[in-house]
Amino acid sequence: MEPTATVQRKKRILSGIQPSGTPTLGNYIGAMRNWKMLADEYDCFYMIADLHTITVRQEPAKLRAQSTQMLALLLAIGLDPEQNVLFFQSHVHQHAEMAWLLNCFTYMGEMSRMTQFKDKSAKHADNINCGLFTYPVLMAGDILLYQADLVPVGADQTQHLEICRDIANRFNGLYSNVFTIPEGYYPKLGARVMSLQEPTRKMSKSDPDDSFIGLLDTPDVVRRKMRRAVTDSETEIRYDPENKPGVSNLLSIYCALTGESMDNVVASFSSKGYGDLKNAVADVIIDTLSPIQTEFHRYMADKSYLESVWRTGAERASRIAERTLSKAMKKIGFVAK
Ligand code: AQP
């Protein structure tokens, strides 16, 4: 008898980014650049999470432009659209459908405990919509549709991954194994980048412009934002996030982009001032962003190529998403088409 070869499928990863603005250096260091490193080892699905973006009111033309730009930026950082499935969430209608199904398997009490809902509703007090409340259910569907094994998560998303696992376990418990239960993936390189103006809060693309470095910021803008970055009234350069959050943030950006260890970096700045640190951080940021921006402009000039990437991505994603959605619908008891 022929020996049976066991073909092990690569583990699958699903991650996303909202086109709620120009991605920041935080998105890049904490998420995007890691995505590129995962491509060889994993079967990667990266979505531009445009459905999630409308939990906060968006200007239509801006949302469209930001979404296209986001795709061009993903390509510009080196994500290969053949190796990775790159797609717009709204192009795969199964996301919205799965979210509805899962809403009916999620309890109000569970959603009420989500800290991001509390934070975001405080930030957008004039528009606390139901989408903002059930956002983690849409996210659970995003993950479960692709039977993802791993989900790269930052500290702010662990609660959402937990709820996704709870919902999937509940569903599987009722209807036998429909969903893969995802695990968190914690990237080796994944510093949390803080706001330049309020360094105790994370850097966010929808915050005021001076508080973040956008991936499309020109060198002049980077230098200006660095000059204005909040530090403290001392002069010593040391890594102490609790007492010196501004300086520590600049140091960790420097380490994240150069790959140097914190000890070495702190030692190399021991006889220097905050101005020198800011200049050095600006230099490494500009060096990082400049090749990305060149590629970005090249992709933006080729709309038909971008279109072909998003069409192919949607087709590839839909095929898998449909398989899971149909299975879940059948289990629930809907009549097959
Ligand atoms: N400051 C950050 N440092 C490290 N990682 C970060 N991420 C976001 N901000 C930082 C990571 O980027 C990925 C994509 O995030 P997202 O766009 O889906 O949503 P977000 O976390 O809400 O990002 P923003 O920039 O703060 O968006 P807005 O302003 O729209 O809310 C995630 O993996 C996230 O951890």
Side-chain angles (χ1 to χ4, degrees):
M1 217 161 63
E2 292 284 311
T4 29
T6 42
V7 182
Q8 264 201 321
R9 86 163 167 93
K10 280 185 182 173
K11 286 202 167 168
R12 187 169 289 157
I13 284 204
L14 180 283
S15 200
I17 184 160
Q18 296 187 62
S20 44
T22 305
T24 69
L25 195 63
N27 298 129
Y28 177 72
I29 290 174
M32 293 162 77
R33 71 171 181 172
N34 293 314
W35 292 0
K36 199 179 151 208
M37 296 179 215
L38 299 171
D40 287 334
E41 202 174 335
Y42 300 99
D43 184 19
C44 300
F45 286 67
Y46 296 126
M47 74 180 181
I48 295 170
D50 48 6
L51 294 179
H52 284 280
T53 306
I54 65 164
T55 54
V56 173
R57 205 64 74 228
Q58 304 289 331
E59 224 179 275
K62 245 172 128 182
L63 176 60
R64 239 184 318 273
Q66 284 163 190
S67 302
T68 315
Q69 286 188 352
M70 187 66 84
L71 179 64
L73 272 167
L74 294 183
L75 297 169
I77 61 162
L79 283 181
D80 175 351
E82 308 256 318
Q83 203 178 16
N84 304 278
V85 181
L86 308 180
F87 63 102
F88 289 118
Q89 185 185 25
S90 63
H91 288 183
V92 181
H93 61 80
Q94 290 86 350
H95 286 262
E97 294 173 46
M98 182 58 94
W100 171 252
L101 302 187
L102 298 183
N103 262 312
C104 301
F105 293 85
T106 308
Y107 297 109
M108 296 287 286
E110 290 175 311
M111 290 295 97
S112 310
R113 287 197 293 276
M114 298 291 112
T115 53
Q116 200 184 71
F117 171 69
K118 292 180 197 160
D119 293 349
K120 286 222 169 177
S121 42
K123 218 165 145 184
H124 305 281
D126 56 336
N127 179 20
I128 305 176
N129 59 67
C130 295
L132 199 58
F133 187 66
T134 59
Y135 172 109
V137 179
L138 179 60
M139 181 171 153
D142 300 334
I143 299 166
L144 300 178
L145 272 178
Y146 298 96
Q147 308 287 2
D149 302 286
L150 296 168
V151 185
V153 275
D156 51 336
Q157 292 290 351
T158 47
Q159 215 187 12
H160 292 164
L161 179 64
E162 265 325 298
I163 199 81
C164 170
R165 289 164 56 88
D166 290 346
I167 298 169
N169 275 317
R170 185 172 303 146
F171 197 99
N172 284 353
L174 286 167
Y175 300 113
S176 79
N177 287 341
V178 175
F179 299 125
T180 301
I181 309 297
E183 305 278 341
Y185 175 87
Y186 302 91
K188 286 173 212 105
L189 299 167
R192 189 165 157 80
V193 181
M194 310 308 278
S195 157
L196 299 178
Q197 292 302 315
E198 281 182 77
T200 48
R201 292 183 42 192
K202 77 162 186 155
M203 183 180 277
S204 270
K205 56 179 125 53
S206 54
D207 278 349
D209 197 51
D210 260 9
S211 69
F212 67 84
I213 300 285
L215 295 192
L216 298 176
D217 283 350
T218 59
D220 283 354
V221 171
V222 172
R223 290 196 192 285
R224 194 194 70 222
K225 289 183 179 177
M226 274 298 128
R227 271 197 304 276
R228 292 188 188 164
V230 167
T231 48
D232 52 55
S233 54
E234 297 177 6
T235 52
E236 190 197 355
I237 296 180
R238 65 169 201 278
Y239 184 70
D240 178 354
E242 204 160 310
N243 299 307
K244 296 172 77 72
V247 170
S248 304
N249 188 35
L250 298 182
L251 286 168
S252 45
I253 293 174
Y254 190 89
C255 291
L257 295 182
T258 58
E260 288 180 42
S261 74
M262 185 59 79
D263 287 349
N264 284 353
V265 170
V266 171
S268 70
F269 282 104
S270 62
S271 58
K272 296 188 176 149
Y274 288 174
D276 301 308
L277 175 64
K278 288 179 166 187
N279 277 334
V281 177
D283 286 342
V284 293
I285 294 175
I286 292 165
D287 286 349
T288 305
L289 298 191
S290 139
I292 295 175
Q293 292 175 358
T294 307
E295 283 298 281
F296 167 78
H297 292 300
R298 198 168 67 79
Y299 285 117
M300 284 303 282
D302 193 350
K303 286 277 153 50
S304 63
Y305 176 69
L306 288 178
E307 248 180 76
S308 74
V309 169
W310 78 55
R311 289 228 171 89
T312 311
E315 278 163 25
R316 289 169 71 191
S318 292
R319 264 199 302 278
I320 294 173
E322 182 54 37
R323 221 178 289 151
T324 311
L325 181 70
S326 306
K327 193 169 169 190
M329 290 180 78
K330 194 170 155 203
K331 292 278 185 183
I332 292 172
F334 293 117
V335 174
K337 277 188 235 169

